[in-house]
Amino acid sequence: MLTIPDIKEVLQAVNESDREISVNDTIKLINEKLHFLHLEIKSITLQDTTETVYCFVNTLPDKVMEFSTIFSVTEITILKKLIEMIMLHRSNDSDEEYYISRKEAIILIREQSSLQVNQANDLLHKLVENKWFERRGDKYTLSPLCLIELKDMLIEKYQTRKENGIVNICQLCEGIVTLGVRCTCYIRLHHDCFRKYNVINPQETCPNGHNLPQGMVGKIFYEVQENETNS
């Protein structure tokens, strides 16, 4: 994954003219060349830091994991099971957070294979290193690369919450929400999208007009500001 400053640094290094090269124009041109290979550079806003990053992804989601030659057939099966467990998990407080604990992941891996505990830990580390998962303390959640590459597949398999499924789609940016806030209805928002929405809509109601859970606005503002301070 590359940030906008990363990309600008690359463009500056290869630029032989005095004219500044546009990041968006460059990525658009590259994607035109990559289209027939079913590859694309896509952007996604990180759910916790609100930073925009660009990922090199496969546009055939049903083949993404099979193309990952660094994983064995058993490891790919485990990866799919872990993703399913993460999607089906949800916290009980006012946040929307999809994750599995390290203990849950280890148990699942051992159920699906003959791996010992240390080998299961190694596999989890491998999945994090290859950008399928992100580790947050003792929890594992889907990485930005995983979300952007598997978005269509996840929606097709689990359906959106608006369609009585389980996939949360942000009402503002239309990205998948695995870390954000939820209303009492199907409306879901990323932390930063919620903050932006709240600026233009200070009434504590969601886009559907429902009252948001008590205390949500102050809590989310605090979490976003804390993340920005730490970054």
Side-chain angles (χ1 to χ4, degrees):
M1 296 183 293
L2 293 177
T3 63
I4 292 178
D6 291 333
I7 296 175
K8 287 184 175 180
E9 184 177 344
V10 172
L11 295 181
Q12 184 176 2
V14 301
N15 188 7
E16 297 179 351
S17 69
D18 295 330
R19 182 176 58 87
E20 183 177 355
I21 302 176
S22 165
V23 171
N24 290 334
D25 290 347
T26 302
I27 291 176
K28 181 179 179 181
L29 179 61
I30 293 173
N31 283 337
E32 288 174 356
K33 304 293 185 181
L34 290 174
H35 179 71
F36 78 99
L37 295 173
H38 303 291
L39 298 169
E40 186 177 353
I41 297 175
K42 291 186 176 182
S43 65
I44 186 171
T45 301
L46 301 183
Q47 298 184 79
D48 48 0
T49 66
T50 72
E51 184 177 29
T52 298
V53 296
Y54 289 81
C55 309
F56 186 60
V57 301
N58 193 311
T59 57
L60 293 176
D62 57 329
K63 297 295 182 182
V64 167
M65 285 177 277
E66 282 76 358
F67 289 160
S68 298
T69 55
I70 61 171
F71 295 108
S72 66
V73 173
T74 299
E75 289 174 334
I76 290 173
T77 299
I78 291 172
L79 172 57
K80 290 179 178 179
K81 292 286 187 180
L82 289 171
I83 291 174
E84 181 177 34
M85 182 180 283
I86 289 173
M87 291 303 299
L88 294 176
H89 183 280
R90 111 174 196 171
S91 59
N92 295 318
D93 57 21
S94 61
D95 284 352
E96 195 79 15
E97 185 178 9
Y98 286 74
Y99 64 86
I100 52 174
S101 68
R102 175 182 166 277
K103 180 179 179 180
E104 291 170 324
I106 294 295
I107 291 173
L108 184 145
I109 291 171
R110 298 197 67 194
E111 288 176 347
Q112 298 294 321
S113 67
S114 59
L115 296 179
Q116 299 301 312
V117 173
N118 62 327
Q119 294 172 314
N121 272 317
D122 290 342
L123 177 55
L124 281 174
H125 180 73
K126 184 178 178 181
L127 293 171
V128 172
E129 284 289 302
N130 286 276
K131 308 299 183 184
W132 285 103
F133 296 148
E134 283 189 343
R135 182 173 180 177
R136 302 173 184 275
D138 198 43
K139 301 175 183 177
Y140 292 86
T141 188
L142 302 182
S143 71
L145 178 61
C146 185
L147 289 175
I148 198 171
E149 200 156 32
L150 299 183
K151 178 181 177 181
D152 292 340
M153 186 188 77
L154 293 174
I155 291 175
E156 180 180 355
K157 182 174 183 178
Y158 299 109
Q159 301 297 305
T160 65
R161 196 166 294 277
K162 186 177 181 179
E163 302 166 324
N164 296 319
I166 63 171
V167 178
N168 295 324
I169 300 296
C170 180
Q171 189 72 9
L172 263 66
C173 73
E174 298 185 347
I176 291 181
V177 181
T178 59
L179 181 66
V181 298
R182 64 172 176 256
C183 183
T184 51
C185 65
Y186 68 84
I187 295 295
R188 302 294 188 268
L189 293 162
H190 292 115
H191 288 305
D192 192 52
C193 292
F194 175 74
R195 182 181 64 174
K196 292 174 182 175
Y197 170 76
N198 190 249
V199 168
I200 61 175
N201 181 57
Q203 300 83 17
E204 297 186 18
T205 58
C206 81
N208 268 350
H210 293 93
N211 291 328
L212 295 171
Q214 187 175 5
M216 177 182 284
V217 175
K219 181 179 181 182
I220 298 306
F221 266 108
Y222 172 77
E223 289 184 354
V224 171
Q225 290 168 351
E226 183 179 48
N227 283 330
E228 289 178 344
T229 301
N230 292 337
S231 62

